[in-house]
Amino acid sequence: MDLDAFARLLPPVTEGNRAYWEGLDAGELRLQFCNHDGTARFPESPVCPQCLSPDFSWRPAKGEATLWSWVIMHQKYLDAFDELRPYPVAFVKLAEGPFMVSTVIGDVDKLTVDAPLELVFTEVGARSVPAFQVTS
């Protein structure tokens, strides 16, 4: 797999998302939590989507999710993913509430709606990215 091509697809690290990427490098998925009403959010945003408070903190997520939906990609859209085809693209609901697009590693035959998932990390160049696997 061409890790350099894949790494070029990752979003840039900015002041707004730095805590997220640093968390992944430290082995944890960090989310923004509103300090006013406790709402967890992903992706990062300057205000809470529920109460519009700008007061938030970054905290580690539990690393648990459920599979909401998925698709197995067969079509080649980007050269960086060519060697991975077919591969699952998953829409997961984190235990804290937000949804996230990711991938599921392991036996795709085990994928079912509401399957329990656990967080795992994949190294892409010098960065870590979140992925999930079905829990037993």
Side-chain angles (χ1 to χ4, degrees):
M1 179 165 129
D2 184 356
L3 290 179
D4 289 334
F6 190 81
R8 284 192 298 273
L9 297 174
L10 294 175
V13 176
T14 66
E15 286 307 309
N17 68 20
R18 184 174 310 284
Y20 169 79
W21 290 106
E22 288 175 351
L24 294 178
D25 288 340
E28 59 187 25
L29 175 63
R30 293 181 187 159
L31 303 175
Q32 285 181 329
F33 284 82
C34 177
N35 290 333
H36 179 72
D37 67 11
T39 299
R41 61 186 187 254
F42 180 85
E44 78 281 345
S45 66
V47 298
C48 174
Q50 298 299 314
C51 71
L52 302 180
S53 171
D55 187 24
F56 69 89
S57 56
W58 288 93
R59 295 183 226 153
K62 294 177 186 175
E64 301 168 359
T66 54
L67 184 59
W68 196 79
S69 184
W70 75 97
V71 64
I72 305 298
M73 296 295 292
H74 294 272
Q75 179 69 29
K76 177 183 176 180
Y77 288 104
L78 299 166
D79 290 338
F81 294 101
D82 192 38
E83 294 175 32
L84 299 175
R85 290 183 299 141
Y87 59 91
V89 176
F91 194 58
V92 305
K93 184 172 184 182
L94 301 173
E96 292 76 10
F99 286 90
M100 169 184 255
V101 175
S102 187
T103 191
V104 178
I105 295 171
D107 186 1
V108 295
D109 292 333
K110 291 183 178 180
L111 300 183
T112 60
V113 172
D114 291 331
L117 304 172
E118 65 183 354
L119 178 67
V120 294
F121 297 95
T122 302
E123 298 299 317
V124 177
R127 290 165 70 181
S128 292
V129 295
F132 291 87
Q133 64 186 15
V134 177
T135 59
S136 303

PDB file of all heavy atoms in Angstrom, residues 81-115:
ATOM      1  N   PHE A  81      -6.170   3.949  -2.316  1.00  0.00           N
ATOM      2  CA  PHE A  81      -6.954   2.829  -1.803  1.00  0.00           C
ATOM      3  C   PHE A  81      -6.967   1.628  -2.738  1.00  0.00           C
ATOM      4  O   PHE A  81      -7.615   0.629  -2.447  1.00  0.00           O
ATOM      5  CB  PHE A  81      -8.397   3.265  -1.549  1.00  0.00           C
ATOM      6  CG  PHE A  81      -8.528   4.277  -0.453  1.00  0.00           C
ATOM      7  CD1 PHE A  81      -8.697   5.615  -0.751  1.00  0.00           C
ATOM      8  CD2 PHE A  81      -8.478   3.892   0.873  1.00  0.00           C
ATOM      9  CE1 PHE A  81      -8.821   6.551   0.262  1.00  0.00           C
ATOM     10  CE2 PHE A  81      -8.607   4.826   1.884  1.00  0.00           C
ATOM     11  CZ  PHE A  81      -8.774   6.155   1.580  1.00  0.00           C
ATOM     12  N   ASP A  82      -6.250   1.705  -3.848  1.00  0.00           N
ATOM     13  CA  ASP A  82      -6.333   0.675  -4.882  1.00  0.00           C
ATOM     14  C   ASP A  82      -6.016  -0.718  -4.355  1.00  0.00           C
ATOM     15  O   ASP A  82      -6.730  -1.675  -4.644  1.00  0.00           O
ATOM     16  CB  ASP A  82      -5.416   1.030  -6.055  1.00  0.00           C
ATOM     17  CG  ASP A  82      -5.680   0.155  -7.262  1.00  0.00           C
ATOM     18  OD1 ASP A  82      -6.865  -0.158  -7.514  1.00  0.00           O
ATOM     19  OD2 ASP A  82      -4.712  -0.223  -7.952  1.00  0.00           O
ATOM     20  N   GLU A  83      -4.965  -0.855  -3.573  1.00  0.00           N
ATOM     21  CA  GLU A  83      -4.557  -2.178  -3.073  1.00  0.00           C
ATOM     22  C   GLU A  83      -5.488  -2.713  -1.987  1.00  0.00           C
ATOM     23  O   GLU A  83      -5.437  -3.895  -1.662  1.00  0.00           O
ATOM     24  CB  GLU A  83      -3.129  -2.118  -2.531  1.00  0.00           C
ATOM     25  CG  GLU A  83      -2.098  -1.830  -3.604  1.00  0.00           C
ATOM     26  CD  GLU A  83      -0.708  -1.650  -3.013  1.00  0.00           C
ATOM     27  OE1 GLU A  83      -0.403  -2.291  -1.986  1.00  0.00           O
ATOM     28  OE2 GLU A  83       0.058  -0.849  -3.565  1.00  0.00           O
ATOM     29  N   LEU A  84      -6.330  -1.862  -1.421  1.00  0.00           N
ATOM     30  CA  LEU A  84      -7.217  -2.280  -0.342  1.00  0.00           C
ATOM     31  C   LEU A  84      -8.532  -2.867  -0.848  1.00  0.00           C
ATOM     32  O   LEU A  84      -9.257  -3.491  -0.088  1.00  0.00           O
ATOM     33  CB  LEU A  84      -7.538  -1.085   0.562  1.00  0.00           C
ATOM     34  CG  LEU A  84      -6.366  -0.432   1.269  1.00  0.00           C
ATOM     35  CD1 LEU A  84      -6.843   0.804   2.026  1.00  0.00           C
ATOM     36  CD2 LEU A  84      -5.710  -1.407   2.205  1.00  0.00           C
ATOM     37  N   ARG A  85      -8.880  -2.621  -2.098  1.00  0.00           N
ATOM     38  CA  ARG A  85     -10.189  -3.033  -2.622  1.00  0.00           C
ATOM     39  C   ARG A  85     -10.359  -4.530  -2.571  1.00  0.00           C
ATOM     40  O   ARG A  85      -9.425  -5.255  -2.860  1.00  0.00           O
ATOM     41  CB  ARG A  85     -10.365  -2.548  -4.058  1.00  0.00           C
ATOM     42  CG  ARG A  85     -10.537  -1.073  -4.155  1.00  0.00           C
ATOM     43  CD  ARG A  85     -10.781  -0.599  -5.565  1.00  0.00           C
ATOM     44  NE  ARG A  85      -9.654  -0.937  -6.430  1.00  0.00           N
ATOM     45  CZ  ARG A  85      -9.775  -1.352  -7.688  1.00  0.00           C
ATOM     46  NH1 ARG A  85     -10.934  -1.494  -8.241  1.00  0.00           N
ATOM     47  NH2 ARG A  85      -8.719  -1.629  -8.393  1.00  0.00           N
ATOM     48  N   PRO A  86     -11.564  -4.978  -2.260  1.00  0.00           N
ATOM     49  CA  PRO A  86     -12.679  -4.216  -1.680  1.00  0.00           C
ATOM     50  C   PRO A  86     -12.427  -3.903  -0.210  1.00  0.00           C
ATOM     51  O   PRO A  86     -11.747  -4.655   0.476  1.00  0.00           O
ATOM     52  CB  PRO A  86     -13.870  -5.153  -1.845  1.00  0.00           C
ATOM     53  CG  PRO A  86     -13.279  -6.510  -1.820  1.00  0.00           C
ATOM     54  CD  PRO A  86     -11.903  -6.393  -2.420  1.00  0.00           C
ATOM     55  N   TYR A  87     -12.994  -2.811   0.266  1.00  0.00           N
ATOM     56  CA  TYR A  87     -12.806  -2.417   1.661  1.00  0.00           C
ATOM     57  C   TYR A  87     -14.097  -1.807   2.212  1.00  0.00           C
ATOM     58  O   TYR A  87     -14.864  -1.203   1.470  1.00  0.00           O
ATOM     59  CB  TYR A  87     -11.640  -1.432   1.825  1.00  0.00           C
ATOM     60  CG  TYR A  87     -11.790  -0.151   1.039  1.00  0.00           C
ATOM     61  CD1 TYR A  87     -12.404   0.963   1.598  1.00  0.00           C
ATOM     62  CD2 TYR A  87     -11.323  -0.056  -0.267  1.00  0.00           C
ATOM     63  CE1 TYR A  87     -12.552   2.135   0.877  1.00  0.00           C
ATOM     64  CE2 TYR A  87     -11.458   1.109  -0.998  1.00  0.00           C
ATOM     65  CZ  TYR A  87     -12.078   2.201  -0.426  1.00  0.00           C
ATOM     66  OH  TYR A  87     -12.233   3.360  -1.133  1.00  0.00           O
ATOM     67  N   PRO A  88     -14.337  -1.984   3.516  1.00  0.00           N
ATOM     68  CA  PRO A  88     -15.559  -1.430   4.110  1.00  0.00           C
ATOM     69  C   PRO A  88     -15.389   0.033   4.511  1.00  0.00           C
ATOM     70  O   PRO A  88     -14.359   0.427   5.036  1.00  0.00           O
ATOM     71  CB  PRO A  88     -15.780  -2.298   5.346  1.00  0.00           C
ATOM     72  CG  PRO A  88     -14.419  -2.793   5.706  1.00  0.00           C
ATOM     73  CD  PRO A  88     -13.624  -2.863   4.429  1.00  0.00           C
ATOM     74  N   VAL A  89     -16.411   0.809   4.219  1.00  0.00           N
ATOM     75  CA  VAL A  89     -16.533   2.172   4.728  1.00  0.00           C
ATOM     76  C   VAL A  89     -17.719   2.131   5.682  1.00  0.00           C
ATOM     77  O   VAL A  89     -18.819   1.719   5.296  1.00  0.00           O
ATOM     78  CB  VAL A  89     -16.774   3.189   3.604  1.00  0.00           C
ATOM     79  CG1 VAL A  89     -17.007   4.584   4.178  1.00  0.00           C
ATOM     80  CG2 VAL A  89     -15.608   3.199   2.626  1.00  0.00           C
ATOM     81  N   ALA A  90     -17.484   2.487   6.926  1.00  0.00           N
ATOM     82  CA  ALA A  90     -18.498   2.319   7.961  1.00  0.00           C
ATOM     83  C   ALA A  90     -18.950   3.652   8.537  1.00  0.00           C
ATOM     84  O   ALA A  90     -18.154   4.577   8.696  1.00  0.00           O
ATOM     85  CB  ALA A  90     -17.938   1.447   9.083  1.00  0.00           C
ATOM     86  N   PHE A  91     -20.228   3.717   8.832  1.00  0.00           N
ATOM     87  CA  PHE A  91     -20.818   4.843   9.551  1.00  0.00           C
ATOM     88  C   PHE A  91     -21.138   4.311  10.938  1.00  0.00           C
ATOM     89  O   PHE A  91     -22.005   3.442  11.090  1.00  0.00           O
ATOM     90  CB  PHE A  91     -22.072   5.323   8.814  1.00  0.00           C
ATOM     91  CG  PHE A  91     -22.587   6.658   9.259  1.00  0.00           C
ATOM     92  CD1 PHE A  91     -21.780   7.788   9.201  1.00  0.00           C
ATOM     93  CD2 PHE A  91     -23.887   6.798   9.702  1.00  0.00           C
ATOM     94  CE1 PHE A  91     -22.263   9.035   9.586  1.00  0.00           C
ATOM     95  CE2 PHE A  91     -24.381   8.030  10.089  1.00  0.00           C
ATOM     96  CZ  PHE A  91     -23.569   9.151  10.030  1.00  0.00           C
ATOM     97  N   VAL A  92     -20.392   4.758  11.941  1.00  0.00           N
ATOM     98  CA  VAL A  92     -20.520   4.217  13.291  1.00  0.00           C
ATOM     99  C   VAL A  92     -21.050   5.290  14.238  1.00  0.00           C
ATOM    100  O   VAL A  92     -20.800   6.477  14.059  1.00  0.00           O
ATOM    101  CB  VAL A  92     -19.181   3.649  13.820  1.00  0.00           C
ATOM    102  CG1 VAL A  92     -18.615   2.606  12.866  1.00  0.00           C
ATOM    103  CG2 VAL A  92     -18.162   4.741  14.059  1.00  0.00           C
ATOM    104  N   LYS A  93     -21.779   4.827  15.242  1.00  0.00           N
ATOM    105  CA  LYS A  93     -22.246   5.733  16.288  1.00  0.00           C
ATOM    106  C   LYS A  93     -21.405   5.486  17.526  1.00  0.00           C
ATOM    107  O   LYS A  93     -21.394   4.385  18.084  1.00  0.00           O
ATOM    108  CB  LYS A  93     -23.719   5.515  16.613  1.00  0.00           C
ATOM    109  CG  LYS A  93     -24.222   6.529  17.618  1.00  0.00           C
ATOM    110  CD  LYS A  93     -25.708   6.465  17.821  1.00  0.00           C
ATOM    111  CE  LYS A  93     -26.105   7.600  18.768  1.00  0.00           C
ATOM    112  NZ  LYS A  93     -27.530   7.572  19.058  1.00  0.00           N
ATOM    113  N   LEU A  94     -20.664   6.501  17.923  1.00  0.00           N
ATOM    114  CA  LEU A  94     -19.820   6.403  19.116  1.00  0.00           C
ATOM    115  C   LEU A  94     -20.688   6.303  20.367  1.00  0.00           C
ATOM    116  O   LEU A  94     -21.806   6.836  20.404  1.00  0.00           O
ATOM    117  CB  LEU A  94     -18.891   7.610  19.206  1.00  0.00           C
ATOM    118  CG  LEU A  94     -17.944   7.815  18.021  1.00  0.00           C
ATOM    119  CD1 LEU A  94     -17.212   9.138  18.151  1.00  0.00           C
ATOM    120  CD2 LEU A  94     -16.971   6.655  17.904  1.00  0.00           C
ATOM    121  N   ALA A  95     -20.188   5.649  21.389  1.00  0.00           N
ATOM    122  CA  ALA A  95     -20.927   5.495  22.645  1.00  0.00           C
ATOM    123  C   ALA A  95     -21.329   6.848  23.222  1.00  0.00           C
ATOM    124  O   ALA A  95     -22.362   6.972  23.879  1.00  0.00           O
ATOM    125  CB  ALA A  95     -20.087   4.711  23.657  1.00  0.00           C
ATOM    126  N   GLU A  96     -20.544   7.877  22.944  1.00  0.00           N
ATOM    127  CA  GLU A  96     -20.816   9.221  23.461  1.00  0.00           C
ATOM    128  C   GLU A  96     -21.903   9.941  22.669  1.00  0.00           C
ATOM    129  O   GLU A  96     -22.341  11.014  23.073  1.00  0.00           O
ATOM    130  CB  GLU A  96     -19.534  10.063  23.459  1.00  0.00           C
ATOM    131  CG  GLU A  96     -18.496   9.598  24.451  1.00  0.00           C
ATOM    132  CD  GLU A  96     -17.730   8.347  24.012  1.00  0.00           C
ATOM    133  OE1 GLU A  96     -17.849   7.921  22.838  1.00  0.00           O
ATOM    134  OE2 GLU A  96     -17.014   7.786  24.855  1.00  0.00           O
ATOM    135  N   GLY A  97     -22.305   9.388  21.512  1.00  0.00           N
ATOM    136  CA  GLY A  97     -23.394   9.982  20.745  1.00  0.00           C
ATOM    137  C   GLY A  97     -23.091  10.399  19.322  1.00  0.00           C
ATOM    138  O   GLY A  97     -23.915  10.173  18.438  1.00  0.00           O
ATOM    139  N   PRO A  98     -21.944  11.021  19.048  1.00  0.00           N
ATOM    140  CA  PRO A  98     -21.689  11.449  17.676  1.00  0.00           C
ATOM    141  C   PRO A  98     -21.485  10.275  16.714  1.00  0.00           C
ATOM    142  O   PRO A  98     -21.111   9.176  17.130  1.00  0.00           O
ATOM    143  CB  PRO A  98     -20.388  12.263  17.776  1.00  0.00           C
ATOM    144  CG  PRO A  98     -20.230  12.593  19.197  1.00  0.00           C
ATOM    145  CD  PRO A  98     -20.906  11.497  19.964  1.00  0.00           C
ATOM    146  N   PHE A  99     -21.726  10.547  15.448  1.00  0.00           N
ATOM    147  CA  PHE A  99     -21.441   9.587  14.389  1.00  0.00           C
ATOM    148  C   PHE A  99     -20.076   9.879  13.793  1.00  0.00           C
ATOM    149  O   PHE A  99     -19.593  11.010  13.850  1.00  0.00           O
ATOM    150  CB  PHE A  99     -22.505   9.678  13.288  1.00  0.00           C
ATOM    151  CG  PHE A  99     -23.822   9.083  13.678  1.00  0.00           C
ATOM    152  CD1 PHE A  99     -24.797   9.853  14.278  1.00  0.00           C
ATOM    153  CD2 PHE A  99     -24.089   7.741  13.429  1.00  0.00           C
ATOM    154  CE1 PHE A  99     -26.019   9.309  14.635  1.00  0.00           C
ATOM    155  CE2 PHE A  99     -25.308   7.181  13.785  1.00  0.00           C
ATOM    156  CZ  PHE A  99     -26.279   7.970  14.385  1.00  0.00           C
ATOM    157  N   MET A 100     -19.475   8.861  13.187  1.00  0.00           N
ATOM    158  CA  MET A 100     -18.154   8.995  12.578  1.00  0.00           C
ATOM    159  C   MET A 100     -18.074   8.055  11.378  1.00  0.00           C
ATOM    160  O   MET A 100     -18.569   6.941  11.431  1.00  0.00           O
ATOM    161  CB  MET A 100     -17.091   8.621  13.613  1.00  0.00           C
ATOM    162  CG  MET A 100     -15.699   8.450  13.082  1.00  0.00           C
ATOM    163  SD  MET A 100     -14.573   7.888  14.401  1.00  0.00           S
ATOM    164  CE  MET A 100     -13.720   9.419  14.691  1.00  0.00           C
ATOM    165  N   VAL A 101     -17.452   8.525  10.313  1.00  0.00           N
ATOM    166  CA  VAL A 101     -17.160   7.668   9.176  1.00  0.00           C
ATOM    167  C   VAL A 101     -15.767   7.097   9.392  1.00  0.00           C
ATOM    168  O   VAL A 101     -14.823   7.837   9.687  1.00  0.00           O
ATOM    169  CB  VAL A 101     -17.229   8.432   7.841  1.00  0.00           C
ATOM    170  CG1 VAL A 101     -16.810   7.542   6.686  1.00  0.00           C
ATOM    171  CG2 VAL A 101     -18.624   8.976   7.616  1.00  0.00           C
ATOM    172  N   SER A 102     -15.632   5.788   9.262  1.00  0.00           N
ATOM    173  CA  SER A 102     -14.357   5.125   9.496  1.00  0.00           C
ATOM    174  C   SER A 102     -14.313   3.859   8.655  1.00  0.00           C
ATOM    175  O   SER A 102     -14.959   3.784   7.614  1.00  0.00           O
ATOM    176  CB  SER A 102     -14.210   4.815  10.995  1.00  0.00           C
ATOM    177  OG  SER A 102     -12.915   4.321  11.284  1.00  0.00           O
ATOM    178  N   THR A 103     -13.575   2.890   9.108  1.00  0.00           N
ATOM    179  CA  THR A 103     -13.544   1.584   8.471  1.00  0.00           C
ATOM    180  C   THR A 103     -13.605   0.521   9.552  1.00  0.00           C
ATOM    181  O   THR A 103     -13.372   0.805  10.730  1.00  0.00           O
ATOM    182  CB  THR A 103     -12.286   1.404   7.594  1.00  0.00           C
ATOM    183  OG1 THR A 103     -12.438   0.219   6.812  1.00  0.00           O
ATOM    184  CG2 THR A 103     -11.020   1.324   8.411  1.00  0.00           C
ATOM    185  N   VAL A 104     -13.948  -0.681   9.133  1.00  0.00           N
ATOM    186  CA  VAL A 104     -13.986  -1.808  10.049  1.00  0.00           C
ATOM    187  C   VAL A 104     -12.937  -2.806   9.584  1.00  0.00           C
ATOM    188  O   VAL A 104     -12.898  -3.186   8.413  1.00  0.00           O
ATOM    189  CB  VAL A 104     -15.375  -2.473  10.093  1.00  0.00           C
ATOM    190  CG1 VAL A 104     -15.367  -3.673  11.013  1.00  0.00           C
ATOM    191  CG2 VAL A 104     -16.425  -1.465  10.535  1.00  0.00           C
ATOM    192  N   ILE A 105     -12.075  -3.187  10.509  1.00  0.00           N
ATOM    193  CA  ILE A 105     -10.995  -4.125  10.226  1.00  0.00           C
ATOM    194  C   ILE A 105     -11.450  -5.520  10.654  1.00  0.00           C
ATOM    195  O   ILE A 105     -12.077  -5.680  11.697  1.00  0.00           O
ATOM    196  CB  ILE A 105      -9.726  -3.706  10.986  1.00  0.00           C
ATOM    197  CG1 ILE A 105      -9.246  -2.359  10.465  1.00  0.00           C
ATOM    198  CG2 ILE A 105      -8.638  -4.751  10.870  1.00  0.00           C
ATOM    199  CD1 ILE A 105      -8.137  -1.731  11.272  1.00  0.00           C
ATOM    200  N   GLY A 106     -11.125  -6.493   9.851  1.00  0.00           N
ATOM    201  CA  GLY A 106     -11.470  -7.871  10.200  1.00  0.00           C
ATOM    202  C   GLY A 106     -12.467  -8.456   9.225  1.00  0.00           C
ATOM    203  O   GLY A 106     -12.643  -7.970   8.108  1.00  0.00           O
ATOM    204  N   ASP A 107     -13.129  -9.489   9.670  1.00  0.00           N
ATOM    205  CA  ASP A 107     -14.052 -10.260   8.843  1.00  0.00           C
ATOM    206  C   ASP A 107     -15.315  -9.452   8.538  1.00  0.00           C
ATOM    207  O   ASP A 107     -16.145  -9.245   9.421  1.00  0.00           O
ATOM    208  CB  ASP A 107     -14.398 -11.567   9.558  1.00  0.00           C
ATOM    209  CG  ASP A 107     -15.228 -12.504   8.720  1.00  0.00           C
ATOM    210  OD1 ASP A 107     -15.535 -12.176   7.548  1.00  0.00           O
ATOM    211  OD2 ASP A 107     -15.566 -13.585   9.231  1.00  0.00           O
ATOM    212  N   VAL A 108     -15.469  -9.016   7.293  1.00  0.00           N
ATOM    213  CA  VAL A 108     -16.642  -8.215   6.927  1.00  0.00           C
ATOM    214  C   VAL A 108     -17.921  -9.046   6.947  1.00  0.00           C
ATOM    215  O   VAL A 108     -19.015  -8.487   6.961  1.00  0.00           O
ATOM    216  CB  VAL A 108     -16.463  -7.510   5.564  1.00  0.00           C
ATOM    217  CG1 VAL A 108     -15.340  -6.492   5.622  1.00  0.00           C
ATOM    218  CG2 VAL A 108     -16.260  -8.502   4.453  1.00  0.00           C
ATOM    219  N   ASP A 109     -17.811 -10.371   6.984  1.00  0.00           N
ATOM    220  CA  ASP A 109     -18.998 -11.218   7.076  1.00  0.00           C
ATOM    221  C   ASP A 109     -19.671 -11.105   8.439  1.00  0.00           C
ATOM    222  O   ASP A 109     -20.821 -11.506   8.605  1.00  0.00           O
ATOM    223  CB  ASP A 109     -18.643 -12.687   6.794  1.00  0.00           C
ATOM    224  CG  ASP A 109     -18.240 -12.908   5.350  1.00  0.00           C
ATOM    225  OD1 ASP A 109     -18.694 -12.123   4.484  1.00  0.00           O
ATOM    226  OD2 ASP A 109     -17.459 -13.837   5.086  1.00  0.00           O
ATOM    227  N   LYS A 110     -18.972 -10.555   9.432  1.00  0.00           N
ATOM    228  CA  LYS A 110     -19.535 -10.368  10.769  1.00  0.00           C
ATOM    229  C   LYS A 110     -20.294  -9.052  10.900  1.00  0.00           C
ATOM    230  O   LYS A 110     -20.864  -8.768  11.944  1.00  0.00           O
ATOM    231  CB  LYS A 110     -18.430 -10.391  11.831  1.00  0.00           C
ATOM    232  CG  LYS A 110     -17.777 -11.729  12.035  1.00  0.00           C
ATOM    233  CD  LYS A 110     -16.764 -11.626  13.155  1.00  0.00           C
ATOM    234  CE  LYS A 110     -16.108 -12.960  13.431  1.00  0.00           C
ATOM    235  NZ  LYS A 110     -15.129 -12.845  14.534  1.00  0.00           N
ATOM    236  N   LEU A 111     -20.288  -8.238   9.845  1.00  0.00           N
ATOM    237  CA  LEU A 111     -20.919  -6.929   9.931  1.00  0.00           C
ATOM    238  C   LEU A 111     -22.435  -7.061   9.890  1.00  0.00           C
ATOM    239  O   LEU A 111     -22.991  -7.683   8.984  1.00  0.00           O
ATOM    240  CB  LEU A 111     -20.441  -6.022   8.798  1.00  0.00           C
ATOM    241  CG  LEU A 111     -18.943  -5.747   8.738  1.00  0.00           C
ATOM    242  CD1 LEU A 111     -18.617  -4.783   7.615  1.00  0.00           C
ATOM    243  CD2 LEU A 111     -18.426  -5.223  10.061  1.00  0.00           C
ATOM    244  N   THR A 112     -23.078  -6.497  10.902  1.00  0.00           N
ATOM    245  CA  THR A 112     -24.528  -6.428  10.988  1.00  0.00           C
ATOM    246  C   THR A 112     -24.894  -5.082  11.592  1.00  0.00           C
ATOM    247  O   THR A 112     -24.098  -4.483  12.327  1.00  0.00           O
ATOM    248  CB  THR A 112     -25.119  -7.550  11.874  1.00  0.00           C
ATOM    249  OG1 THR A 112     -24.582  -7.421  13.184  1.00  0.00           O
ATOM    250  CG2 THR A 112     -24.807  -8.928  11.320  1.00  0.00           C
ATOM    251  N   VAL A 113     -26.080  -4.612  11.284  1.00  0.00           N
ATOM    252  CA  VAL A 113     -26.545  -3.368  11.886  1.00  0.00           C
ATOM    253  C   VAL A 113     -26.532  -3.532  13.403  1.00  0.00           C
ATOM    254  O   VAL A 113     -26.923  -4.576  13.931  1.00  0.00           O
ATOM    255  CB  VAL A 113     -27.958  -3.020  11.378  1.00  0.00           C
ATOM    256  CG1 VAL A 113     -28.537  -1.836  12.140  1.00  0.00           C
ATOM    257  CG2 VAL A 113     -27.920  -2.728   9.884  1.00  0.00           C
ATOM    258  N   ASP A 114     -26.058  -2.520  14.081  1.00  0.00           N
ATOM    259  CA  ASP A 114     -25.940  -2.474  15.542  1.00  0.00           C
ATOM    260  C   ASP A 114     -24.875  -3.417  16.111  1.00  0.00           C
ATOM    261  O   ASP A 114     -24.848  -3.654  17.322  1.00  0.00           O
ATOM    262  CB  ASP A 114     -27.284  -2.743  16.236  1.00  0.00           C
ATOM    263  CG  ASP A 114     -28.273  -1.611  16.024  1.00  0.00           C
ATOM    264  OD1 ASP A 114     -27.826  -0.457  15.854  1.00  0.00           O
ATOM    265  OD2 ASP A 114     -29.488  -1.871  16.026  1.00  0.00           O
ATOM    266  N   ALA A 115     -23.983  -3.929  15.269  1.00  0.00           N
ATOM    267  CA  ALA A 115     -22.885  -4.756  15.776  1.00  0.00           C
ATOM    268  C   ALA A 115     -22.036  -3.913  16.725  1.00  0.00           C
ATOM    269  O   ALA A 115     -21.710  -2.759  16.419  1.00  0.00           O
ATOM    270  CB  ALA A 115     -22.025  -5.278  14.638  1.00  0.00           C
TER     271      ALA A 115
END
